[in-house]
Amino acid sequence: LNVGDPTVFGNLPPNECITEAVVESVRSGKYNGYFPTVGAPAPREASVEAFSHPNNPLSVQDVILTSGCAQALELSMTGLADPGDNILIPKPGFSLYGCIAGSENIELRSYSLMPEKSWEADLGHLESLIDQKTKAIVLINPSNPCGSVYSAEHLKAIAAVAKRNYVPIISDEIYGGMVYNGGVFHPLASLVNDVPIITCSGLAKRYLVPGWRLGWMLFYDPQKLLTKARAGIGQLTTRILGPSSVIQGALPAILKNPPEEFFSHTNKHLEAASQLIFKKFSQIPGLKPVLPQGSMYLMAGIDMDLFPGIEDDLDFLSKLMAEESVYCLPAQIFGYPNYIRIVLSGPLDKMDEAADRIKEFCARHIKK
């Protein structure tokens, strides 16, 4: 229950039309060579069609194809910030940002999310962190690791902070569309067009093919405030010569052909798994789960005062692994100690068994 890979158990395969798109790309013989490092024209045009908004249209020049969403995030951060600059990230938030920033001497400043408000951002704290060296605000929606999905109103409020302080937004939307339990996904660029937005996403999660390593950057910048940064990011793409040509060739069909039932099946599974884990964890003394509305994760707090023989979330999970062979992630790696993150993509019978083992573990260690 630790890895955010929906393919691990084999219960959530990609739709057949997605596989066929790659087969056809190979058979065509058109995608065996190099393409421009920002991506081939046809898949970039398909991205324009798929992700333009009436209030925020894209052109082909606004799309860069990347080696997964991870490279999109790296290019965004290194393209906007110089060494010594700072970027604001949510806490808790995806740990990759720390790896990228550390290698480039970019300072990360963490703004607080509030579990009691379904992990909404503390807007006052967010704004207090901004100074002259702040080059971007990172927004993760739907959230890894929290499973939160922000309302249109909250997204607009975050964008208002960015606009007021002349700071662009990096919108990590790799889990876009993966919503349930009443959550509704709003692409940030569909709501606001007066703040420069770089949206980062890819095929990994919603299309259930993380190993194919195709992502994209979308520049929503009608005021052309990121022109120089975009040029620099284009130059940075030459370092790895672009993502797989074969998967690029398949992208137009992948974005167009999957039936809605494919996506709704995944969301229904995640909803069932989230409700199962939430119900069971709610009945375990010492655990406080937060019901998610999106992505593939549930976060649960640990009342450490009730477990006197356990030091923190890492110690909790180390002992859980040794005693019950259940492996989750400690939220301290996301900057949020004494929480744990549960991956919800596994088969329901495995999730049920894992919850029962965690219950037995907690009963064994709780203060008597």
Side-chain angles (χ1 to χ4, degrees):
L1 309 180
N2 67 309
V3 179
D5 181 347
T7 73
V8 168
F9 290 97
N11 59 311
L12 294 174
N15 187 267
E16 183 64 24
C17 72
I18 295 174
T19 305
E20 282 301 315
V22 176
V23 173
E24 181 58 32
S25 178
V26 173
R27 286 177 174 164
S28 74
K30 298 177 181 178
Y31 297 96
N32 294 330
Y34 291 123
F35 283 101
T37 59
V38 294
R44 293 171 75 199
E45 290 169 0
S47 301
V48 169
E49 182 177 348
F51 303 117
S52 284
H53 304 292
N55 67 321
N56 228 339
L58 295 169
S59 69
V60 171
Q61 289 69 39
D62 297 322
V63 178
I64 294 178
L65 301 182
T66 60
S67 181
C69 185
Q71 192 201 11
L73 296 171
E74 179 187 19
L75 289 171
S76 299
M77 293 175 67
T78 56
L80 292 176
D82 291 322
D85 290 335
N86 66 77
I87 290 177
L88 309 188
I89 63 169
K91 184 176 73 174
F94 186 37
S95 53
L96 177 65
Y97 295 104
C99 299
I100 296 170
S103 67
E104 300 292 337
N105 293 315
I106 298 168
E107 179 191 358
L108 292 184
R109 297 181 177 181
S110 298
Y111 62 89
S112 298
L113 306 184
M114 300 177 287
E116 70 278 8
K117 294 186 176 180
S118 299
W119 301 108
E120 285 190 348
D122 183 331
L123 298 178
H125 185 232
L126 168 64
E127 191 156 16
S128 73
L129 299 174
I130 298 173
D131 64 17
Q132 293 299 314
K133 286 187 170 291
T134 302
K135 295 305 174 69
I137 297 169
V138 171
L139 172 67
I140 310 175
N141 182 55
S143 170
N144 176 12
C146 300
S148 56
V149 181
Y150 289 156
S151 67
E153 292 72 22
H154 191 57
L155 290 169
K156 290 177 182 178
I158 294 172
V161 172
K163 179 183 179 181
R164 197 157 52 240
N165 292 277
Y166 305 97
V167 178
I169 295 176
I170 300 172
S171 188
D172 182 345
E173 299 180 5
I174 188 62
Y175 295 95
M178 298 182 80
V179 291
Y180 44 90
N181 289 331
V184 178
F185 171 64
H186 301 280
L188 181 64
S190 70
L191 302 175
V192 296
N193 63 3
D194 54 358
V195 176
I197 299 167
I198 303 177
T199 295
C200 300
S201 191
L203 296 179
K205 309 300 183 177
R206 191 173 190 227
Y207 295 86
L208 306 178
V209 286
W212 291 8
R213 307 312 303 139
L214 186 70
W216 48 81
M217 304 173 66
L218 310 173
F219 290 82
Y220 297 98
D221 183 28
Q223 290 83 25
K224 307 300 181 186
L225 300 175
L226 298 181
T227 300
K228 290 184 179 179
R230 188 183 325 194
I233 289 170
Q235 293 174 343
L236 289 173
T237 65
T238 63
R239 294 192 296 181
I240 68 165
L241 302 181
S244 164
S245 297
V246 167
I247 308 302
Q248 288 190 59
L251 186 61
I254 292 174
L255 292 177
K256 184 177 181 180
N257 292 343
E260 185 56 38
E261 291 78 12
F262 166 62
F263 301 115
S264 63
H265 175 266
T266 301
N267 289 347
K268 287 176 182 177
H269 172 83
L270 294 170
E271 180 173 85
S274 71
Q275 291 181 0
L276 185 156
I277 294 296
F278 180 79
K279 180 179 179 180
K280 290 213 163 190
F281 277 21
S282 295
Q283 298 169 352
I284 299 175
L287 296 188
K288 186 177 181 180
V290 181
L291 185 68
Q293 291 188 304
S295 75
M296 297 165 30
Y297 313 105
L298 177 147
M299 287 273 277
I302 308 169
D303 186 346
M304 299 307 304
D305 291 337
L306 296 181
F307 299 100
I310 296 177
E311 294 180 8
D312 55 17
D313 54 326
L314 179 59
D315 191 34
F316 182 97
L317 291 176
S318 297
K319 288 181 168 64
L320 176 66
M321 177 71 172
E323 296 178 24
E324 297 291 346
S325 296
V326 176
Y327 188 21
C328 313
L329 281 186
Q332 64 178 260
I333 71 171
F334 307 114
Y336 216 75
N338 298 331
Y339 274 71
I340 58 175
R341 190 195 75 170
I342 308 293
V343 178
L344 301 170
S345 56
L348 293 182
D349 61 332
K350 298 286 188 183
M351 306 297 297
D352 192 44
E353 181 179 352
D356 287 342
R357 293 190 188 189
I358 292 171
K359 179 179 180 179
E360 293 176 7
F361 173 84
C362 289
R364 188 180 309 126
H365 287 276
I366 200 164
K367 183 187 296 184
K368 300 298 191 282

